[in-house]
């Protein structure tokens, strides 16, 4: 089972999808994408909380 997080689910107009095998890796990748690409003005902790809320589990890559 893989984890998936769609940037769009954060309410951002972006088609970027992050996939990883573990939640930790997924969150790391997603935080980096959101902070570097979108420059969102949130602390890492607040951002992580929002990201955790929109994680999906998918069957396979
Ligand atoms: Zn994005």
């Amino acid at each position: 089972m893989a984890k998936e997080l769609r940037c769009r689910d954060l309410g951002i107009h972006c088609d970027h999808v992050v996939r990883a095998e573990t939640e930790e890796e997924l969150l790391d990748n997603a935080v980096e994408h959101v902070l570097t690409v979108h420059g969102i003005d949130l602390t890492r902790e607040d951002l992580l909380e929002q990201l955790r809320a929109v994680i999906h589990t998918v069957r396979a890559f």
Side-chain angles (χ1 to χ4, degrees):
M1 298 287 262
K3 305 279 186 186
E4 184 180 277
L5 193 156
R6 293 169 187 274
C7 210
R8 189 186 300 264
D9 289 342
L10 296 169
I12 298 170
H13 188 68
C14 172
D15 287 329
H16 189 74
V17 180
V18 180
R19 291 192 186 91
E21 291 193 38
T22 66
E23 183 170 315
E24 194 174 58
E25 187 185 347
L26 182 78
L27 289 170
D28 272 354
N29 292 343
V31 164
E32 188 175 331
H33 168 79
V34 171
L35 291 181
T36 60
V37 176
H38 301 299
I40 279 188
D41 188 22
L42 283 175
T43 66
R44 189 180 169 89
E45 277 311 304
D46 285 346
L47 181 56
L48 281 172
E49 198 169 301
Q50 295 204 19
L51 293 172
R52 281 194 194 100
V54 297
I55 290 175
H56 302 277
T57 299
V58 292
R59 267 168 216 243
F61 278 87

